Amino acid sequence: DQQVKQNSPSLSVQEGRISILNCDYTNSMFDYFLWYKKYPAEGPTFLISISSIKDKNEDGRFTVFLNKSAKHLSLHIVPSQPGDSAVYFCAASANTDKLIFGTGTRLQVFP
Amino acid sequence: KAGVTQTPRYLIKTRGQQVTLSCSPISGHRSVSWYQQTPGQGLQFLFEYFSETQRNKGNFPGRFSGRQFSNSRSEMNVSTLELGDSALYLCASSPQASGNTGELFFGEGSRLTVL
């Protein structure tokens, strides 16, 4: 049972445009959400997080939005850069329990 | 500050064999989590150790086991390897228990190929 789902396995965006990566979850007990970025041959690295008491968190070009009623979160990257090309994983946890990851979305930013 | 170190980085085994993977966390980190990454399945949680105790376990068969030593270094073992065990095994450490509003710091992974 996949509690965290990323339904788009890949996304292609032109440089300078906005990238929107989506993530859905099924467990209403999740109260903390994170996004990780992974380059080939490297481990995932933390990007941005959001607590369930918020609906938005921003860090430079990266903004995460949380819609608790829809059990949906999204990561916006503006403007997108070629160096953003990577696999992005969303993750969630409930009551400080283990992190559950999604299946990932491969983002490609082309010139 | 050194990052999370995983050894070996690559290994090839045959069905039925067993394998041990090692993970050295960031100095001072007490939690070590293990994940399996396969195409289409994302990162599947294996287990987490905190202060030498297994804190959480994922839905993997008993062939998958792990342990943590007093210096926080961790090992995971897979016995009676199957072709489906071919994957990238990622180790992550954190100062406190994972999910506790703390991010995980990942190693580069150990890529296991089972022939």
Side-chain angles (χ1 to χ4, degrees):
Chain A
D1 177 32
Q2 193 73 29
Q3 298 186 63
V4 179
K5 302 176 184 179
Q6 294 176 257
N7 293 316
S8 297
S10 63
L11 176 67
S12 188
V13 173
Q14 188 173 29
E15 182 179 5
R17 301 278 193 149
I18 183 172
S19 295
I20 300 177
L21 295 92
N22 294 304
C23 180
D24 298 298
Y25 60 95
T26 57
N27 188 342
S28 59
M29 298 300 292
F30 285 148
D31 56 6
Y32 193 62
F33 305 87
L34 306 89
W35 284 93
Y36 283 79
K37 179 170 72 173
K38 185 180 185 301
Y39 292 117
E42 294 183 12
T45 54
F46 170 76
L47 194 56
I48 193 170
S49 63
I50 187 168
S51 165
S52 60
I53 62 174
K54 294 184 173 182
D55 54 17
K56 176 183 175 181
N57 189 25
E58 191 171 354
D59 184 3
R61 296 186 296 113
F62 303 91
T63 303
V64 57
F65 295 91
L66 176 62
N67 183 332
K68 289 185 290 294
S69 61
K71 295 190 180 67
H72 177 84
L73 69 156
S74 60
L75 174 68
H76 293 208
I77 306 174
V78 182
S80 301
Q81 299 174 354
D84 296 330
S85 298
V87 177
Y88 290 78
F89 292 96
C90 65
S93 71
N95 299 323
T96 76
D97 198 11
K98 59 186 179 295
L99 280 182
I100 304 295
F101 283 81
T103 51
T105 296
R106 182 178 301 278
L107 172 66
Q108 183 179 6
V109 180
F110 59 93
Chain B
K1 200 174 188 180
V4 177
T5 304
Q6 291 188 244
T7 56
R9 291 289 314 279
Y10 304 91
L11 67 165
I12 299 174
K13 294 284 187 178
T14 57
R15 280 181 300 175
Q17 286 186 311
Q18 66 92 26
V19 66
T20 299
L21 308 178
S22 179
C23 173
S24 293
I26 292 172
S27 177
H29 286 193
R30 296 165 62 191
S31 168
V32 173
S33 300
W34 288 90
Y35 287 83
Q36 180 196 65
Q37 184 188 2
T38 55
Q41 293 295 316
L43 276 68
Q44 300 288 309
F45 175 78
L46 281 156
F47 25 68
E48 179 195 359
Y49 288 87
F50 184 79
S51 295
E52 301 180 68
T53 300
Q54 188 178 83
R55 179 173 176 265
N56 264 310
K57 189 176 189 305
N59 297 322
F60 278 80
R63 301 186 296 107
F64 292 80
S65 62
R67 58 178 175 169
Q68 186 179 34
F69 303 95
S70 59
N71 62 359
S72 292
R73 190 177 71 85
S74 177
E75 289 182 347
M76 69 162 281
N77 184 278
V78 188
S79 63
T80 319
L81 284 166
E82 302 176 358
L83 295 179
D85 297 333
S86 295
L88 180 67
Y89 290 88
L90 290 160
C91 167
S93 74
S94 63
Q96 50 199 338
S98 73
N100 193 18
T101 68
E103 65 186 85
L104 297 179
F105 297 82
F106 282 87
E108 294 178 319
S110 293
R111 182 163 296 281
L112 170 66
T113 301
V114 182
L115 302 176

